[in-house]
C-alpha cells in the first residue's frame, strides 16, 4: 500500500523551494539586482528539472524519446532566427541567413534543454513496462 504513496510523492512538485525562489526572484527584480535575478531564474528551471529527472520512474523508450525531443528543440533557435528576419522585405522572397546564423550558437543549449524538460515533465503512460 505504501508504493502508490511513494510514487505519488516522487511526482509531487517542490512547492516550498519553488515559492522561496520565486520570492527571491521578486525581491531581486524590485531591487534591480541583475545577477540575483538570473540566478533565481536559473534555479526555477534547474531545481524542479533535476529533482524530477533523479526521482522519476523510468520506463522503456524514455531515453530515445528524450533525445528526439532534444533534436526537435535544437531547431527552435534557427526557426526563431529565420522568423526574426521576416520584417525585412528582401527576406520575404528568399531566406536571409543572417537571422538563422544568429540563432546557431543556441542550438546545443536548446537541444539539452529540450531533452531535460522532456525527461523532467513528460508523464509515462500507464501501459508501458517499467525498467
Amino acid at each position: 500500500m505504501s508504493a502508490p504513496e511513494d510514487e505519488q510523492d516522487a511526482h509531487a512538485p517542490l512547492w516550498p523551494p519553488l515559492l522561496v525562489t520565486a520570492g527571491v526572484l521578486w525581491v531581486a527584480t524590485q531591487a534591480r539586482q541583475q545577477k540575483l535575478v538570473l540566478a533565481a531564474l536559473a534555479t526555477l528551471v534547474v531545481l524542479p528539472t533535476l529533482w524530477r529527472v533523479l526521482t522519476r520512474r523510468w520506463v522503456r523508450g524514455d531515453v530515445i524519446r528524450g533525445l528526439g525531443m532534444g533534436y526537435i528543440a535544437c531547431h527552435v533557435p534557427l526557426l526563431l532566427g529565420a522568423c526574426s528576419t521576416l520584417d525585412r522585405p528582401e527576406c520575404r522572397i528568399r531566406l536571409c541567413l543572417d537571422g538563422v546564423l544568429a540563432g546557431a550558437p543556441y542550438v546545443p543549449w536548446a537541444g539539452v534543454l529540450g531533452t531535460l524538460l522532456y525527461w523532467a515533465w513528460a508523464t509515462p503512460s500507464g501501459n508501458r513496462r517499467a525498467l
Side-chain angles (χ1 to χ4, degrees):
M1 284 222 160
S2 64
E5 291 174 6
D6 293 339
E7 185 175 321
Q8 185 178 9
D9 290 341
H11 296 294
L14 292 173
W15 288 114
L18 291 178
L19 290 176
V20 168
T21 307
V24 169
L25 176 63
W26 182 76
V27 169
T29 305
Q30 294 299 320
R32 298 190 187 273
Q33 296 293 323
Q34 186 178 13
K35 289 181 181 178
L36 190 58
V37 168
L38 291 175
L41 282 173
T43 304
L44 279 174
V45 172
V46 170
L47 182 68
T49 302
L50 284 178
W51 178 77
R52 179 75 193 275
V53 165
L54 294 175
T55 62
R56 78 175 287 172
R57 183 174 164 220
W58 290 86
V59 295
R60 182 178 302 247
D62 270 346
V63 173
I64 298 298
R65 279 190 291 278
L67 293 176
M69 184 54 106
Y71 179 75
I72 292 168
C74 75
H75 290 83
V76 172
L78 301 176
L79 181 63
L80 290 176
C83 290
S84 70
T85 62
L86 290 179
D87 59 344
R88 300 191 326 223
E90 67 271 10
C91 293
R92 291 184 193 156
I93 297 170
R94 60 179 180 78
L95 180 64
C96 293
L97 289 179
D98 57 340
V100 175
L101 293 177
Y106 302 106
V107 167
W109 298 109
V112 168
L113 184 65
T115 300
L116 286 177
L117 289 178
Y118 177 81
W119 284 338
W121 301 107
T123 56
S125 299
N127 58 356
R128 292 189 285 173
R129 291 186 291 166
L131 291 178

